[in-house]
Amino acid sequence: DAGITQSPRHKVTETGTPVTLRCHQTENHRYMYWYRQDPGHGLRLIHYSYGVKDTDKGEVSDGYSVSRSKTEDFLLTLESATSSQTSVYFCAISESSQGAQYFGPGTRLTVT
Amino acid sequence: AQSVTQPDIHITVSEGASLELRCNYSYGATPYLFWYVQSPGQGLQLLLKYFSGDTLVQGIKGFEAEFKRSQSSFNLRKPSVHWSDAAEYFCAVVGSNFGNEKLTFGTGTRLTIIP
């Protein structure tokens, strides 16, 4: 399995609080992605990165921001968490934009 | 933009029986295609991928998939399922034309195995 870790693995937070999720890779892959997974919706892309300090929006980016200051780390921030952001968040990496993506174990976030 | 459809939300098969999970895609040219498996509480694991060449692709865990351009399909098969194959399966597609293409996932098929 690709070397991808996510932290924390579980988090419960209150509405309106900021939350940061971390994705760490040891594969030196250029591309990194954040997805959310919800029943009936499959996986939806939030943001992605194509290099250090290079990021772009996905299909469900509202309410989320990202940062990538090092090749190995990609952070997802919810500036002010809402109940609609309760979900399971997955990080993925790939060597190229059209190559296979490899996924981390996920973070289960509950916003109360 | 591409899209992918998995027509079956839930499939139940007996252990030892054969399996076929359907995947249909929409894209103007030949796409790149993937199958992933997700066990409960786990991340997605890549089963196999198709980029070009032989239309029958072999993957891990005894799975294979066949790309059929005429039917816009990429169905996943296994000749004999094991109880450990119970999981959710996702088909995914990305455009092959160089550009700002993103991987698009189907909504998944949940596989239940009965003894």
Side-chain angles (χ1 to χ4, degrees):
Chain A
D1 289 341
I4 311 169
T5 56
Q6 293 184 232
S7 58
R9 294 293 313 279
H10 302 272
K11 187 170 182 65
V12 179
T13 191
E14 294 184 347
T15 298
T17 60
V19 176
T20 295
L21 308 182
R22 179 178 183 244
C23 176
H24 179 79
Q25 63 150 325
T26 58
E27 305 297 320
N28 200 37
H29 283 1
R30 177 182 174 189
Y31 290 82
M32 298 186 75
Y33 310 82
W34 277 108
Y35 292 90
R36 60 178 290 173
Q37 184 178 37
D38 305 286
H41 291 277
L43 282 96
R44 293 180 291 174
L45 181 65
I46 304 171
H47 281 280
Y48 67 99
S49 169
Y50 48 96
V52 174
K53 300 190 187 303
D54 294 323
T55 65
D56 204 350
K57 297 179 179 180
E59 65 176 295
V60 290
S61 59
D62 287 348
Y64 302 94
S65 63
V66 291
S67 65
R68 190 171 180 197
S69 58
K70 298 185 291 184
T71 298
E72 57 266 35
D73 290 325
F74 192 33
L75 304 181
L76 176 71
T77 298
L78 291 66
E79 300 291 348
S80 177
T82 67
S83 58
S84 64
Q85 293 175 312
T86 292
S87 187
V88 180
Y89 292 85
F90 288 99
C91 174
I93 64 174
S94 67
E95 291 184 280
S96 65
S97 62
Q98 293 158 309
Q101 293 185 17
Y102 300 92
F103 285 77
T107 294
R108 182 173 295 277
L109 176 68
T110 303
V111 183
T112 61
Chain B
Q2 68 269 13
S3 65
V4 59
T5 301
Q6 294 181 248
D8 304 306
I9 296 173
H10 187 201
I11 285 181
T12 300
V13 300
S14 298
E15 190 169 14
S18 63
L19 171 70
E20 183 168 24
L21 302 182
R22 295 184 291 165
C23 173
N24 295 100
Y25 68 89
S26 174
Y27 184 66
T30 300
Y32 298 153
L33 297 155
F34 308 85
W35 274 100
Y36 288 86
V37 61
Q38 184 180 30
S39 298
Q42 305 293 317
L44 278 74
Q45 182 182 20
L46 180 69
L47 282 176
L48 47 79
K49 58 190 176 187
Y50 174 78
F51 289 156
S52 64
D54 193 344
T55 57
L56 185 62
V57 180
Q58 301 298 319
I60 62 171
K61 305 187 179 191
F63 285 93
E64 66 178 26
E66 186 171 12
F67 169 62
K68 292 186 177 180
R69 185 193 309 273
S70 61
Q71 298 178 20
S72 298
S73 69
F74 189 55
N75 293 349
L76 182 71
R77 302 194 294 247
K78 187 170 184 178
S80 176
V81 297
H82 186 262
W83 64 266
S84 60
D85 293 325
E88 187 144 23
Y89 292 79
F90 293 92
C91 182
V93 60
V94 65
S96 57
N97 293 328
F98 183 79
N100 196 26
E101 306 276 12
K102 296 297 170 286
L103 193 62
T104 301
F105 288 86
T107 51
T109 297
R110 182 172 301 281
L111 176 64
T112 297
I113 308 294
I114 55 177

